[in-house]
Amino acid sequence: MSENAKKPKRPRGRARLLEGKCIACGGRCEAACPVNCIVLDEAGAPIIDAPKCIGCTKCVKVCPASALEMSFTSQELAILAELEKSGTAVEEEDPEAAAIARLQAAYRGVWVFVEQEDGEAARVSWELLGKGKELATKLGTGLAAVVIGHNVEHLCSEAFCYGAEKAYLLDAPVYAAYRTQSYLEAMHHLINSHKPEVILMGATGMGRDLAGAVATRIGTGLTADCTGLDIDDKRNLMQTRPAFGGNIMATIMCDKYRPQMASVRPHVMKMPDEQKGATGEIIRSDYQVGEDSVLAKVLEVIKDNDATNQLDIGGAEFIVSGGRGLMGPENFAMLQELATELGGVVGASRSAVDAGWMSHDRQVGQTGKTVRPKIYIACGISGAIQHLVGMQDADLIIAINRDKDAPVFEVAHYGIVGDLFQIVPELTRQIKELKKNKGKVN
Amino acid sequence: MTPTPIVFAPLFILATAIFVFSCWKRLSLTCLGKGDNRLDNIGRRIADTLGYAFAQRRVLAKPSGMIHLIIFWCFLVLLLANGEFILQGFFPSISFSKLPDMAFVLVLKAIDIASLLALGAVITASIRRIIAPPYPEARNSFEAFFILFLIAVLMLAYFGINAAKMAAMAVATRQIAIETFPISGWFVQFVPAGNEKLFHDLSWWIHAIVLLLFMNLLPLSKHFHIITAIPNVFLRRLEQPVLPQREEFKAGNSFGIDQIDGYSWKELLDTFSCTECGRCQNACPAHLTGKPLNPRQLIHDLKINLMQNGTALRQGQTAVKALIGEGEGAVSEEAIWACTTCMACLESCPVFIEQMPKLIPLRRHLVEMQAKFPEELLNLFENIEGRSNPWGIAPSERGKWANLLGERPFVAGETEYLFYVGCAGSFDSRSKQISVALALLLDKAGVNWGMLGKDELCCGDSLRRLGNEYAFETTAVKNAALFNELGVKKVIVQCPHCFTTLQNDYRQYGVELELIHHSQLLVQLAESGKLPLNNRVKELGVTTYHDSCYLGRHNGIYDEPRQVLELATGRPPKEMERNREDGFCCGAGGGRMWLEEFTGERINLVRVKEALEQQPDTICTACPYCMTMFEDGLKDLHKGGDVQVKDIAEVMAEAVLTKL
């Protein structure tokens, strides 16, 4: 290493393995090395090609057993000692980290994509504005809404009422109906122009489609279906979500790239209070995507408006479900009462649908609907695996069955072994009572 | 009119030319198909042809098949008569009368009898077709009745010729002739006196013209089978069971079949060999329960599609008539998905047409090229691809059914048998009980076994049968690597679907395993004394056994499960009406376990009702799919309390593990 007479360069040393300490973790050191100077031997321990080592200390930091250290020649040790004495030790910057920090400094602001259809906003967008405000405050930056569509300016005002300070508006006929390509180009343009550091989207059909496309185009990270969002001390967004079949909660960070993207399911974040009359700044963009360049064309929209018997239980937050134990179609009225008190819907297992007690659109299970409600109450349902597939991701499962060995109790959080014809009406009565008393207390 | 060669010869040559052209026009279409080597194992092929085509083995599986046997053999005998007839048309001097006396009498007697039998057979066939047709449309088949009519005319014309010849003889010779050939002789009374020559010539020309007409009608109708059936049997697929081929997943390839020339030439020949007898449709569980799938109709539609598209395809253009769609000459999507791959259609076909294997490539096209498949399959595909089981349960849960048994890892080089539990046996609460029963039995018998635990992956059977070959390939490759790495040789399975996939389909991935279904193993263990039968299980009462399609028709295992039941309970199970090779599917095969049935009657309900006819106390199964179908079916019929369903392993466990 050459010595600079004016300012002695701090020797970086070379990495060295401490004998006997390696736990053969699988080669994190090998993976971390930017110059590929580490190979693993048969026992899984690192062999370091010392002349190639640039002393970046990445392997030392990543080793879970602290089995690596930086080693210095006697000359280097002498320099280090001198630097220590003279106190002119300059902490050399890790060039890579410096570059990242510079890049990220350019990105500021929390954005929430406002999903809309025919000028009507999806409720999840407002929920995200509430959370977004929290994040923006922690980051010391502003909250903006992104509104893309045709004749959708009124949504900007609505966004202000839910906490947005700015609204980026792209209003043009080409954005009238959602198409991946046009919205992707629009978002790309906005992101490049204004560089937000966080983008939140609702994990709806449209959101899932757009978020992934945007993240891939920009070349950044996206965590889908987050249940928790927070900011750490390095301005990183901490994105928390269940993983491995719900067995663990993982917190994921996108620490090298910006913007950090996350999507959140509806009804996960709290709906903020509406501040009527709030105002903000509308930033209009006239960026247009050429209609001819968009390959997908919306030819016809067919709405399924028959809401009488057809019901999409897939989106319900509370589901009270009945199975063979209900004995007959007339008993489902009892479940409907409970569902109404909870503000939810009635579902059914395969047996009930096969018996003709409920229509097929209510069927929960392998060949019916997969539901992820907040609360799933399974009444008289044995819990055969084909049913569990459809509801095992519910946040809270309550099972009511007179058979204590019913498999449903294996997945239920709470179970009541008993006669559902007594339990369900009692449950309904008590909830009504609770609601009445709550009113009195207030 | 005398049978002058000058008139007959050109007529014959013309008719034959038209006939040959007709045949060529159709058969050459098979050249549009892909290659397939069907000339291996010639010895076996000849034997099969003798047994199935000449001895009509499968035809005789139904009693009405006797009619066809008679017609077939009479035709063969009458080839002699017709040979002489045609040659006589060219060279009037050719005649059997030139043979030595003994031979002459023998030949003519044989022809006489054959003609009478044929006449009787076609009359019987016609009556049968009216009062008890194999399927209702058969009653209205003009071409069927017309052909029968023509055969009758041929027979009568032949008698007419002979009778006229006899009538023209001197009284004394006539008497001898009538005595020697009484059948033809009986017709002499109808020959008008003085007009013997006219009668003779009329009969001769009627015979000639009808013969040439008959010959030319063959390629135009289902009676083409007269030409194609024997070759079709000779060229049959020898490998059992029928396996789909692997696909090559390279960019630019097309997957599955959506145009008729995607099939092999043999598959196209199949469509010309169908006699429309209806045996397949009368065995098909989908058709019998009102689904739009009809194997006979499938073959017919493929033939029509081939003929309608022949010209375009030969010129290298795309087909004008779509293969997948509605109407004649197309296969509907609902029909494609309705198949349970039970193989009853292949089993019943007398000329070895393969109906079911023609549907799988269509499924592949829908799944892999169009992503167009029933909604219910989305969950299934995602779950198997992501979590390697159809229910999307965390893989770490897989070995937990055996928690109380302790760790049973399969150690390479040490463990003899791999107990490949399968997804149902690992996750489904009812099937887990079968796994436990089997594991306890294996322990009791001192079998050296281990399992893969959470490293076990789904075998992928449902994926392959549903046409998701890409996902199947991914799974199979992983499994093959795992088996090879661990040096697995012998595998015990409780599920026939795992059995057939690991034994047969995985051969295409370089894995040669020795699969033992638990029924086979239990019989071996019991007979060798390793499983003491302490308690001949009486509490199960009257038992009946339902044949699993994948165990039975696909892999030929019918006896062992019954033996298990007999060993365990002391007596053989009662047989259902449709059993063994004729067994009726439970409805869950072919990936239909994961699909809803919206049309017609539920297949499983039909089978459960059939089982209940035996008034059993316990219905025994050897497959987790069948178990589920039966239990659900009994519940739907409100018989859940009276009749129980048990796997054969559970029955054996009760016999071995409980002491009196």
Side-chain angles (χ1 to χ4, degrees):
Chain A
M1 298 219 303
S2 58
E3 273 193 6
N4 192 327
K6 289 260 172 64
K7 232 191 218 153
K9 219 170 173 189
R10 187 185 191 82
R12 306 179 69 158
R14 295 180 214 279
R16 193 172 69 115
L17 173 66
L18 294 163
E19 283 303 317
K21 291 197 85 175
C22 172
I23 60 167
C25 74
R28 284 186 219 182
C29 49
E30 186 193 27
C33 178
V35 294
N36 290 329
C37 79
I38 301 182
V39 289
L40 298 182
D41 67 11
E42 266 154 22
I47 305 171
I48 299 162
D49 189 356
K52 272 170 104 178
C53 175
I54 62 166
C56 70
T57 74
K58 276 206 170 95
C59 57
V60 175
K61 288 182 190 146
V62 87
C63 175
S66 306
L68 292 164
E69 65 167 13
M70 298 315 290
S71 77
F72 303 90
T73 62
S74 39
Q75 257 184 323
E76 289 166 343
L77 284 170
I79 298 169
L80 276 173
E82 241 190 73
L83 284 171
E84 201 70 39
K85 250 194 324 199
S86 62
T88 51
V90 173
E91 195 58 50
E92 237 194 52
E93 267 182 354
D94 175 2
E96 204 190 322
I100 290 174
R102 267 194 299 276
L103 182 84
Q104 294 183 358
Y107 286 78
R108 284 290 180 266
V110 174
W111 284 11
V112 171
F113 173 77
V114 177
E115 175 179 333
Q116 58 81 23
E117 194 181 328
D118 292 337
E120 201 178 310
R123 196 194 128 110
V124 64
S125 316
W126 309 144
E127 292 166 6
L128 289 179
L129 278 175
K131 187 66 182 178
K133 189 72 172 182
E134 212 185 288
L135 300 173
T137 310
K138 281 205 178 139
L139 285 166
T141 182
L143 175 67
V146 176
V147 180
I148 305 176
H150 187 46
N151 297 328
V152 289
E153 190 163 332
H154 59 283
L155 292 179
C156 298
S157 323
E158 253 191 277
F160 297 143
C161 294
Y162 285 104
E165 293 143 23
K166 283 201 275 221
Y168 294 94
L169 174 64
L170 267 98
D171 194 324
V174 72
Y175 303 122
Y178 174 78
R179 287 170 295 180
T180 317
Q181 207 175 340
S182 52
Y183 276 58
L184 170 61
E185 299 298 335
M187 285 297 290
H188 187 183
H189 169 82
L190 284 174
I191 293 170
N192 280 346
S193 312
H194 303 286
K195 298 196 188 319
E197 59 192 306
V198 169
I199 303 180
L200 304 178
M201 286 197 198
T204 57
M206 186 197 293
R208 286 176 203 279
D209 184 76
L210 186 59
V214 171
T216 309
R217 173 68 73 84
I218 303 288
T220 183
L222 163 70
T223 307
D225 295 357
C226 296
T227 52
L229 292 167
D230 207 348
I231 305 291
D232 76 354
D233 50 7
K234 295 201 188 75
R235 292 187 81 89
N236 284 325
L237 180 67
M238 304 202 295
Q239 301 150 69
T240 307
R241 59 154 292 153
F244 292 105
N247 286 317
I248 61 167
M249 293 301 280
T251 301
I252 299 160
M253 320 263 266
C254 177
D255 56 354
K256 290 202 179 67
Y257 299 95
R258 292 290 182 269
Q260 302 163 95
M261 295 184 63
S263 74
V264 182
R265 281 207 204 125
H267 309 299
V268 171
M269 298 299 173
K270 191 161 163 292
M271 184 77 165
D273 296 323
E274 198 184 349
Q275 312 278 359
K276 283 204 167 33
T279 52
E281 186 194 345
I282 299 182
I283 300 159
R284 276 167 239 273
S285 169
D286 55 5
Y287 179 78
Q288 288 242 26
V289 180
E291 176 63 45
D292 291 335
S293 67
V294 182
L295 297 173
K297 308 281 179 207
V298 177
L299 300 176
E300 198 187 340
V301 178
I302 303 163
K303 282 197 193 283
D304 185 11
N305 271 330
D306 178 16
T308 41
N309 276 322
Q310 295 280 350
L311 183 70
D312 183 16
I313 58 170
E317 283 191 290
F318 303 101
I319 301 180
V320 182
S321 221
R324 204 179 289 274
L326 267 287
M327 306 287 201
E330 60 280 0
N331 297 324
F332 274 82
M334 173 178 69
L335 298 189
Q336 182 63 63
E337 249 195 83
L338 176 57
T340 311
E341 284 305 318
L342 294 171
V345 298
V346 174
S349 76
R350 179 136 186 203
S351 328
V353 173
D354 279 359
W357 301 340
M358 292 293 268
S359 58
H360 184 75
D361 61 310
R362 302 284 182 139
Q363 185 173 317
V364 173
Q366 179 106 42
T367 52
K369 297 224 164 61
T370 308
V371 295
R372 291 187 178 95
K374 287 209 163 107
I375 300 183
Y376 187 88
I377 306 181
C379 310
I381 294 176
S382 66
I385 202 157
Q386 292 84 353
H387 184 78
L388 297 184
V389 176
M391 42 66 85
Q392 60 189 343
D393 288 337
D395 292 336
L396 182 72
I397 300 171
I398 302 170
I400 307 171
N401 199 302
R402 67 174 172 202
D403 176 11
K404 67 171 167 49
D405 295 322
V408 70
F409 289 121
E410 286 172 38
V411 293
H413 298 94
Y414 296 101
I416 309 175
V417 179
D419 180 6
L420 64 93
F421 291 102
Q422 294 190 338
I423 295 170
V424 174
E426 179 61 22
L427 212 55
T428 315
R429 191 190 69 76
Q430 292 213 6
I431 292 179
K432 279 193 181 139
E433 195 73 31
L434 272 171
K435 285 162 103 172
K436 212 165 37 157
N437 287 337
K438 185 178 175 193
K440 281 203 198 123
V441 166
N442 281 355
Chain B
M1 284 189 307
T2 46
T4 42
I6 272 201
V7 182
F8 180 74
L11 203 63
F12 178 79
I13 291 171
L14 181 66
T16 308
I18 296 174
F19 169 70
V20 169
F21 174 71
S22 272
C23 288
W24 175 86
K25 192 161 155 228
R26 278 161 183 73
L27 291 177
S28 66
L29 289 172
T30 63
C31 295
L32 288 167
K34 306 272 178 283
D36 191 355
N37 177 27
R38 294 293 183 103
L39 291 175
D40 54 321
N41 221 322
I42 296 275
R44 166 108 186 266
R45 289 186 179 279
I46 294 177
D48 282 347
T49 309
L50 291 174
Y52 290 106
F54 287 95
Q56 302 263 298
R57 265 228 293 274
R58 282 193 174 177
V59 177
L60 289 173
K62 291 236 154 30
S64 56
M66 185 56 79
I67 305 175
H68 186 270
L69 181 78
I70 294 174
I71 298 179
F72 177 78
W73 277 100
C74 290
F75 260 54
L76 289 183
V77 171
L78 290 172
L79 277 178
L80 286 170
N82 287 316
E84 183 216 29
F85 182 85
I86 290 168
L87 287 172
Q88 220 175 57
F90 280 82
F91 310 108
S93 54
I94 291 191
S95 164
F96 281 130
S97 53
K98 295 275 173 21
L99 291 168
D101 268 4
M102 277 282 285
F104 172 70
V105 170
L106 207 62
V107 168
L108 249 60
K109 261 209 203 313
I111 295 174
D112 244 25
I113 295 171
S115 299
L116 182 66
L117 284 175
L119 183 63
V122 298
I123 293 174
T124 315
S126 306
I127 296 173
R128 185 243 168 177
R129 192 170 266 269
I130 295 171
I131 55 175
Y135 49 94
E137 295 87 330
R139 207 176 259 140
N140 307 326
S141 171
F142 170 74
E143 77 182 26
F145 285 115
F146 190 54
I147 290 282
L148 290 170
F149 169 72
L150 290 182
I151 296 173
V153 169
L154 281 174
M155 301 301 112
L156 290 171
Y158 169 79
F159 291 134
I161 296 171
N162 276 7
K165 280 204 200 133
M166 288 183 198
M169 289 174 188
V171 179
T173 16
R174 187 196 308 159
Q175 213 38 50
I176 299 173
I178 292 176
E179 276 165 27
T180 324
F181 308 110
I183 303 170
S184 289
W186 186 80
F187 286 87
V188 173
Q189 55 186 302
F190 301 112
V191 182
N195 283 323
E196 293 84 359
K197 177 128 176 36
L198 182 63
F199 195 85
H200 171 270
D201 290 347
L202 204 63
S203 300
W204 198 98
W205 276 107
I206 288 176
H207 193 272
I209 292 180
V210 171
L211 189 64
L212 296 178
L213 180 67
F214 180 83
M215 176 173 74
N216 273 300
L217 281 178
L218 295 187
L220 303 179
S221 68
K222 66 187 177 94
H223 292 90
F224 203 9
H225 79 267
I226 295 179
I227 312 289
T228 53
I230 296 175
N232 210 53
V233 174
F234 182 76
L235 297 164
R236 65 173 279 220
R237 186 190 296 274
L238 292 175
E239 64 163 5
Q240 289 294 335
V242 164
L243 293 179
Q245 287 175 359
R246 277 181 75 165
E247 288 184 311
E248 202 188 340
F249 292 104
K250 237 173 28 185
N253 277 4
S254 122
F255 307 109
I257 291 178
D258 72 325
Q259 198 166 261
I260 194 79
D261 60 347
Y263 288 113
S264 74
W265 62 265
K266 172 58 170 70
E267 290 176 303
L268 297 178
L269 180 63
D270 272 357
T271 68
F272 288 116
S273 308
C274 178
T275 69
E276 305 198 1
C277 70
R279 278 169 176 74
C280 56
Q281 75 175 65
N282 290 337
C284 175
H287 175 75
L288 289 173
T289 53
K291 317 292 187 287
L293 172 64
N294 178 334
R296 174 188 60 87
Q297 189 68 43
L298 169 72
I299 299 299
H300 176 84
D301 284 328
L302 291 179
K303 177 171 73 175
I304 300 295
N305 190 286
L306 178 62
M307 291 190 348
Q308 284 185 355
N309 288 318
T311 327
L313 289 174
R314 263 200 263 253
Q315 294 168 353
Q317 296 161 358
T318 34
V320 289
K321 171 90 185 157
L323 185 56
I324 301 176
E326 302 291 328
E328 205 195 16
V331 190
S332 76
E333 278 180 47
E334 206 188 330
I336 293 172
W337 294 112
C339 180
T340 67
T341 66
C342 73
M343 271 183 63
C345 50
L346 282 102
E347 188 72 38
S348 61
C349 183
V351 295
F352 289 87
I353 293 171
E354 292 148 26
Q355 303 88 330
M356 178 270 281
K358 294 180 175 50
L359 289 171
I360 304 294
L362 299 175
R363 287 185 174 183
R364 284 183 178 176
H365 172 79
L366 289 173
V367 172
E368 297 182 305
M369 299 297 283
Q370 292 195 23
K372 203 168 180 209
F373 45 82
E375 253 185 276
E376 306 97 274
L377 295 180
L378 270 170
N379 252 349
L380 177 76
F381 291 154
E382 270 181 32
N383 286 338
I384 300 187
E385 286 183 57
R387 302 271 178 82
S388 192
N389 65 78
W391 301 289
I393 300 180
S396 51
E397 299 287 310
R398 204 179 257 268
K400 294 201 176 162
W401 66 268
N403 274 349
L404 294 178
L405 295 170
E407 289 287 316
R408 299 305 183 96
F410 179 86
V411 181
E414 283 176 33
T415 320
E416 191 186 353
Y417 290 95
L418 170 65
F419 176 18
Y420 184 88
V421 188
C423 298
S426 306
F427 296 115
D428 180 291
S429 42
R430 181 67 182 89
S431 302
K432 282 192 238 185
Q433 295 170 1
I434 307 173
S435 311
V436 170
L438 185 55
L440 293 172
L441 286 169
L442 291 176
D443 282 344
K444 181 83 183 178
V447 175
N448 178 358
W449 68 274
M451 47 186 229
L452 297 171
K454 59 177 166 54
D455 293 330
E456 190 181 286
L457 303 170
C458 178
C459 68
D461 165 80
S462 293
L463 295 171
R464 191 162 231 212
R465 312 305 160 212
L466 285 167
N468 194 341
E469 187 66 14
Y470 184 73
F472 177 74
E473 167 122 354
T474 320
T475 305
V477 164
K478 278 191 217 154
N479 270 326
L482 184 62
F483 292 144
N484 283 334
E485 189 190 318
L486 292 171
V488 175
K489 288 271 169 285
K490 297 198 255 191
V491 185
I492 302 170
V493 286
Q494 48 150 303
C495 171
H497 291 260
C498 297
F499 181 93
T500 201
T501 309
L502 295 180
Q503 171 94 74
N504 304 311
D505 296 78
Y506 274 32
R507 284 220 180 91
Q508 297 174 348
Y509 292 84
V511 176
E512 290 281 341
L513 297 168
E514 189 193 323
L515 265 288
I516 305 155
H517 185 254
H518 72 304
S519 59
Q520 299 172 302
L521 186 65
L522 291 176
V523 169
Q524 271 175 41
L525 294 173
E527 286 184 343
S528 65
K530 295 222 176 81
L531 282 177
L533 296 158
N534 299 313
N535 169 27
R536 291 300 173 100
V537 182
K538 299 271 184 299
E539 302 80 53
L540 294 176
V542 174
T543 60
T544 184
Y545 174 68
H546 163 79
D547 285 282
S548 148
C549 300
Y550 271 69
L551 201 58
R553 273 187 293 266
H554 281 251
N555 289 289
I557 299 176
Y558 299 104
D559 293 322
E560 288 89 330
R562 289 172 166 80
Q563 285 173 302
V564 170
L565 292 176
E566 188 167 354
L567 286 165
T569 63
R571 51 186 175 170
K574 281 183 85 172
E575 296 291 343
M576 296 192 215
E577 203 182 313
R578 287 177 292 197
N579 67 346
R580 305 184 86 105
E581 294 87 0
D582 294 327
F584 191 79
C585 183
C586 73
R592 286 219 55 92
M593 173 75 164
W594 320 108
L595 293 166
E596 280 289 354
E597 269 176 272
F598 293 113
T599 321
E601 200 183 350
R602 285 275 168 84
I603 294 176
N604 68 327
L605 292 183
V606 169
R607 187 53 168 171
V608 170
K609 284 187 208 162
E610 188 175 351
L612 293 174
E613 279 169 22
Q614 300 306 317
Q615 294 175 321
D617 299 301
T618 309
I619 299 176
C620 300
T621 55
C623 168
Y625 282 13
C626 297
M627 160 80 74
T628 309
M629 290 294 125
F630 267 88
E631 291 215 316
D632 275 1
L634 284 169
K635 275 190 224 165
D636 279 347
L637 294 172
H638 303 288
K639 290 281 191 284
D642 313 323
V643 183
Q644 55 176 345
V645 187
K646 290 252 179 225
D647 184 271
I648 52 170
E650 296 177 309
V651 176
M652 183 60 106
E654 283 191 40
V656 170
L657 301 171
T658 19
K659 285 227 183 297
L660 279 169

